[in-house]
Amino acid sequence: MARLARRQASGMTALPKGFLSESLNRIQPSQTIAITQKERDLKALGRDTIGLAAGEPDFDTPDNIKEAAIAAIRAGKTKYPPVEGIPELRAAVSRKFKRENNLDYTPQQCFVAPGGKAIVFNALMATVNPGDEVVVSAPYWVSYPDIVLLAGGRPVVAETRVEDGFRLTPAALERAITPRTKWLILNQPSNPSGACYSREQLKALTDVLMRHPQVWVLTDDMYEHLVYGGFKFSTVAEVEPRLYERTLTMNGVSKAYAMTGWRIGYCGAPEPLTKAMAKLQSQSATSASSISQWASVEALNGTQHFIPVFQKAFEERRDLVVSMLNQARGIECPKPEGAFYVYPSVRKLMGKRAPSGRVISNDEAFATGLLEAEGVAVVHGGAFGLSPFFRISYATSNAALEEACRRIQRFCSSLD
Ligand SMILES: Cc1ncc(COP(=O)(O)O)c(C=O)c1O
């Protein structure tokens, strides 16, 4: 009795067998969120930790955007918005696609959801049937395969190679496609590798897709504005207009405008698809927050002057991290063109032993050993489907990055 009372008080009574849905059992909790939490727990215990696992800009949301949200609250724009998004934001999204991507999406083709993740979720849930295949290239953003599994589909992973800059090659794409393929998810600049595709590289992929009319493309352009060294971003429907009819172009304000907590993502797509997504959203989140939507109108329509400022800061950090990691014994770190991640290889450290006795048998052991020995939290490559690598998010201060890289260098030198 006392044990039952204790369990009830802690909220940890067991659920009846079979209570959880089978679809939930198919998926994993997000590992990047789990590692970020582990680092925060260690910090709360007094450990001197540095978190490089979370994928969010450390900058604050620009003031003009915050002011737009405050004005919306004061003006009483606090009622249920339309499911697909407020007309002002759909119009702003439509203009953004024209201005920045030379894509014609009418406001009716533009759809707003509570975050970029909710766009991917709605699109896949609205279209994937049991047995349908969705091609993702590895290393992938952690959520793609799990959302496909939740939807009852089959993720088909096409691995990339460090030698190809972690870009999907036309041959690997061709091999991954079958008659059951419904979607290709293409994310660039990539989370976790930072890889970007030039116009020509994208065209080579769209040429493959032109031979497979059953395949739609979900292009996740969340990091569009975070490209460096003069790299010119292009997106699928812009490069191959004949694919426009089967492309969903996804984007959001989270990364470009430092608005991760506002939870706004958007897309342009053929209207029957956005209508299907709206049907689903009408029975789940209903809509994105009205206040965040007004803030996003200002983000898209207002001044864009801080984007090059963010870009410059990220580029400097990328250069710092790549240079310091390449000085760490056994680490090889390619220099990506975009996002705020690097994806270094720890291949040369496999089989070595840390002073604690831990054998670095895979990239997860490397990440765990690093967190234990030096308090630096990174995410192992296995979480993104390609080993032996790890991901660093460099969206943090230069001082923290320098210290973290020094600790990584020390940890690598300590391996025997
Ligand atoms: C590649 C990619 N797509 C989508 C998202 C989701 O963005 P949001 O925070 O707007 O849901 C993220 C966030 O980490 C991401 O890295």
Side-chain angles (χ1 to χ4, degrees):
M1 278 312 276
R3 204 176 324 142
L4 179 63
R6 261 201 315 277
R7 268 213 316 256
Q8 281 175 345
S10 71
M12 288 303 285
T13 47
L15 295 172
K17 197 166 174 325
F19 186 72
L20 293 176
S21 74
E22 281 168 22
S23 57
L24 194 70
N25 288 334
R26 288 199 286 268
I27 66 166
Q28 301 288 327
S30 163
Q31 296 204 52
T32 44
I33 294 176
I35 292 164
T36 304
Q37 191 53 46
K38 194 165 168 189
E39 183 264 326
R40 285 180 186 152
D41 292 346
L42 284 175
K43 197 177 235 90
L45 290 173
R47 279 288 305 276
D48 170 22
T49 60
I50 306 177
L52 304 179
E56 66 178 348
D58 55 324
F59 304 117
D60 202 7
T61 304
D63 281 342
N64 61 314
I65 300 174
K66 289 184 187 167
E67 292 302 330
I70 294 166
I73 295 173
R74 294 230 161 89
K77 292 171 174 165
T78 52
K79 303 284 195 281
Y80 285 128
V83 171
E84 301 86 346
I86 57 174
E88 291 80 355
L89 182 52
R90 296 172 81 194
V93 168
S94 167
R95 277 195 297 275
K96 177 262 177 256
F97 280 133
K98 186 68 193 167
R99 180 178 73 233
E100 295 179 347
N101 309 110
N102 198 23
L103 289 177
D104 289 303
Y105 286 116
T106 64
Q108 291 69 37
Q109 289 178 279
C110 297
F111 176 83
V112 178
K117 190 182 275 183
I119 294 283
V120 178
F121 189 88
N122 284 332
L124 295 178
M125 282 295 189
T127 56
V128 171
N129 288 313
D132 284 350
E133 295 176 356
V134 178
V135 176
V136 294
S137 69
Y140 45 69
W141 180 46
V142 289
S143 297
Y144 300 138
D146 281 327
I147 297 177
V148 173
L149 288 168
L150 257 187
R154 202 168 84 79
V156 174
V157 176
E159 288 197 355
T160 65
R161 302 184 323 151
V162 63
E163 296 83 352
D164 298 321
F166 298 112
R167 284 182 208 92
L168 180 63
T169 61
L173 174 59
E174 186 73 66
R175 276 196 303 275
I177 292 176
T178 75
R180 298 304 311 262
T181 309
K182 188 163 258 178
W183 288 97
L184 162 68
I185 302 183
L186 194 69
N187 164 228
Q188 57 112 13
S190 153
N191 174 7
S193 73
C196 298
Y197 292 72
S198 69
R199 218 185 153 83
E200 293 66 37
Q201 285 159 343
L202 265 190
K203 184 71 175 59
L205 294 180
T206 61
D207 285 349
V208 174
L209 296 174
M210 287 310 295
R211 295 197 285 275
H212 298 279
Q214 80 282 19
V215 183
W216 284 55
V217 198
L218 192 165
T219 159
D220 178 343
D221 301 347
M222 288 296 287
Y223 296 89
E224 166 181 11
H225 289 297
L226 302 180
V227 289
Y228 316 118
F231 183 88
K232 168 93 181 62
F233 173 86
S234 326
T235 190
V236 167
E238 178 191 15
V239 168
E240 178 47 271
R242 289 177 297 169
L243 278 178
Y244 173 86
E245 288 300 330
R246 45 187 171 112
T247 298
L248 180 147
T249 307
M250 188 270 253
N251 213 313
V253 295
S254 298
K255 316 286 175 172
Y257 301 94
M259 291 177 69
T260 45
W262 298 77
R263 311 306 306 129
I264 295 288
Y266 59 81
C267 69
E271 206 176 330
L273 177 57
T274 57
K275 280 210 155 70
M277 291 164 69
K279 183 175 174 187
L280 186 68
Q281 186 155 285
S282 76
Q283 295 295 16
S284 50
T286 301
S287 66
S289 142
S290 61
I291 297 153
S292 297
Q293 292 196 53
W294 282 104
S296 302
V297 171
E298 173 62 20
L300 295 180
N301 287 350
T303 173
Q304 306 289 307
H305 79 270
F306 43 79
I307 289 183
V309 178
F310 289 170
Q311 246 174 4
K312 186 162 178 293
F314 282 133
E315 183 164 354
E316 275 172 27
R317 292 168 180 185
R318 176 199 63 167
D319 293 346
L320 170 79
V321 168
V322 169
S323 148
M324 286 189 76
L325 287 179
N326 278 321
Q327 289 164 45
R329 218 177 78 192
I331 288 188
E332 291 164 304
C333 184
K335 190 172 180 172
E337 302 90 344
F340 40 64
Y341 308 103
V342 290
Y343 202 65
S345 164
V346 285
R347 189 178 48 86
K348 291 189 176 157
L349 299 175
M350 291 302 98
K352 295 202 180 290
R353 189 181 292 271
S356 66
R358 176 183 291 282
V359 176
I360 309 299
S361 50
N362 55 28
D363 50 27
E364 188 165 11
F366 173 83
T368 310
L370 178 65
L371 185 60
E372 283 168 0
E374 296 285 354
V376 177
V378 300
V379 186
H380 59 283
F384 308 103
L386 196 72
S387 294
F389 298 90
F390 67 101
R391 185 192 79 172
I392 280 185
S393 163
Y394 56 81
T396 190
S397 72
N398 290 32
L401 289 171
E402 261 179 62
E403 175 58 19
C405 289
R406 261 196 297 275
R407 293 185 193 187
I408 293 172
Q409 290 174 353
R410 193 163 58 205
F411 179 66
C412 292
S413 298
S414 77
L415 300 177
D416 201 12

